[in-house]
Amino acid sequence: MKNLLKFLMVVAGAALICGLPYALLLNFKVPVVFPHIQLPAEPITGSVHILGVEFFLSNTLLSVLLADLILIVMAVAAGSAARRRLKQYEANPKAVDADGDDLMVPKGWLNTFEAILEYLYNLVETIVGSKWAGSVFPIAGTIFLLVLVANYLHFVPLVDSFGYLHCTEKGFPAKELGNTGIYYLAPEEGNLVFPSPSEAEVACGHGEGEHSPEPGADGTRWSVVPFLRTAATDLNLTFALALVSIVTVQVLGVRKLGFSYFSKFFNLPALSKGFMGWIELIVSWLEIISEFFKTISLSFRLFGNITAGAVLLAVIAFLIPVGAPIVFYLLEVLIGAIQAFIFFMLTTVFVAVAQAGHGDHGHTDEHH
Amino acid sequence: MEDEGRRSSLPAALIAGTGVGGIGCAVPLLVLAAIFVGRALDRLWGTAPYILLGMLMTSVVVGVAFTISSALSAARAAQSQYLAGRRHISDETERPSGRKAS
């Protein structure tokens, strides 16, 4: 009972502090507007043409860069802490830290980072063996950490609330916040949440020779294109990661088995078995298709789960802005970690399967 | 005695709760500050949106680092409090048995 009361007090304190900014926003009549959901990543800067190909910085690419930056800061912080403790230990092996603990015992962030990496490394070692763990872990571990941090960026408050205004007929009027050059979407009186395109006097000027209007101009409607969007909601990222994963699998398969690895795809030695050998050759071609589908399944699994989560959070925050999103945020915390872990595990397991080789099945069959 | 302990621990729990909320609010405040300053500098130098994007990314990195370090230091403080409490309990339980032995 006492613990429950204590827990409720902690929740009440946190809710009081976190609820204040929200209450202030409502006081300034800034409501939660209908979320703008778009599947392709949106460009946030102008484009550059290199060799006839258009390049631009998209909001998902910026999120990946941000996740990279966070990972680099984490790694540098852990590395410098480890070096500092090691230096102190080398100077005086009997010295202790401020808490009176042995210098070789990692503490704080170094301890957390080491625990995560050690757990992942041990897992890889169990699956592919100690000889190949060193080759698989850097790729699989990096993918895990990148996907995890990129997924969790969605939980950083306000991150996907800011962006540039995009003129659209399914949007809301924009109002300037003082004279700051910062605008916010402000639904009309009596129509607080849903946009009403039928009544809108759309003046976006998408036609030839027309100029885009300024935000705040009468009759124009806008939606926010966020500067940062959850990276895994872009199929380009998940497909790129899946390609890295599958190419790693092939490279490590060849490194272990040599050119006999390709007999999995072109089982020419089986032709000596006559008719059944031809069947085995055709079946081996199916392995090529299966490798392509591994790439597709890896990329679409991550993309689908994270996109569905992002849409769910946006819709729940719009429908029931207070309280309910917390439950779904907790759910997304789990899903973000689970999806990163699944990607990591599948990469490792695919390497183990590729390194087992086609011949190993033959040996197993012979023994049995 | 127990009531007195409860009375003193409940405000502490409320303070801890506001502390947790405060950690959560630090990130939005940082992001908001970065947005306003970045936008103002972009307007001043005509560099939109690059300074704003740079400041937004920096604020998120600093905010995440602050959140992690605050959470770790809070965990460390809670752990030392817990260990001190355990030490106190073990001292209390050892004292009567010591008397019996003597």
Side-chain angles (χ1 to χ4, degrees), chain A residues 31-282:
Chain A
V32 179
V33 295
F34 189 70
H36 170 73
I37 295 161
Q38 189 182 327
L39 220 48
E42 297 102 334
I44 51 169
T45 58
S47 58
V48 180
H49 286 267
I50 300 171
L51 299 170
V53 182
E54 190 186 13
F55 289 95
F56 58 82
L57 186 64
S58 69
N59 46 11
T60 50
L61 185 58
L62 195 68
S63 286
V64 178
L65 293 176
L66 183 56
D68 287 340
L69 201 63
I70 290 173
L71 276 177
I72 288 168
V73 169
M74 284 175 171
V76 167
S80 65
R83 265 194 299 275
R84 200 170 48 243
R85 287 180 84 86
L86 194 65
K87 212 173 172 183
Q88 285 174 349
Y89 177 79
E90 280 170 354
N92 180 12
K94 286 180 182 173
V96 289
D97 63 10
D99 297 330
D101 291 322
D102 194 320
L103 283 169
M104 290 310 282
V105 177
K107 299 193 84 177
W109 173 241
L110 173 62
N111 192 18
T112 313
F113 206 63
E114 192 184 292
I116 296 169
L117 293 188
E118 199 176 338
Y119 175 74
L120 294 176
Y121 188 85
N122 288 340
L123 211 58
V124 172
E125 203 173 27
T126 314
I127 297 168
V128 297
S130 54
K131 190 183 171 189
W132 291 96
S135 307
V136 180
F137 176 70
I139 304 281
T142 305
I143 289 176
F144 172 79
L145 289 175
L146 178 67
V147 173
L148 185 74
V149 173
N151 288 349
Y152 278 6
L153 270 182
H154 191 67
F155 306 124
V156 177
L158 294 181
V159 153
D160 53 1
S161 304
F162 286 100
Y164 66 85
L165 287 172
H166 171 69
C167 190
T168 170
E169 55 185 278
K170 287 182 181 174
F172 296 93
K175 282 185 183 168
E176 193 174 1
L177 197 65
N179 192 25
T180 54
I182 295 174
Y183 292 83
Y184 64 96
L185 298 182
E188 312 90 324
E189 288 290 326
N191 185 23
L192 277 175
V193 282
F194 286 106
S196 50
S198 56
E199 295 167 13
E201 213 180 296
V202 180
C204 288
H206 292 309
E208 202 178 321
E210 288 181 80
H211 296 289
S212 290
E214 283 292 311
D218 286 341
T220 54
R221 287 170 182 278
W222 307 83
S223 65
V224 176
V225 176
F227 287 135
L228 292 164
R229 198 177 103 179
T230 316
T233 59
D234 187 355
L235 194 58
N236 291 299
L237 173 79
T238 58
F239 193 71
L241 288 177
L243 269 181
V244 170
S245 165
I246 295 301
V247 168
T248 305
V249 169
Q250 311 308 319
V251 169
L252 291 175
V254 172
R255 268 182 65 190
K256 167 104 187 271
L257 303 171
F259 278 97
S260 68
Y261 172 74
F262 293 108
S263 67
K264 187 169 88 169
F265 306 120
F266 303 100
N267 197 359
L268 295 174
L271 286 178
S272 58
K273 294 178 188 171
F275 177 71
M276 287 311 288
W278 279 98
I279 301 271
E280 279 187 33
L281 179 64
I282 292 165

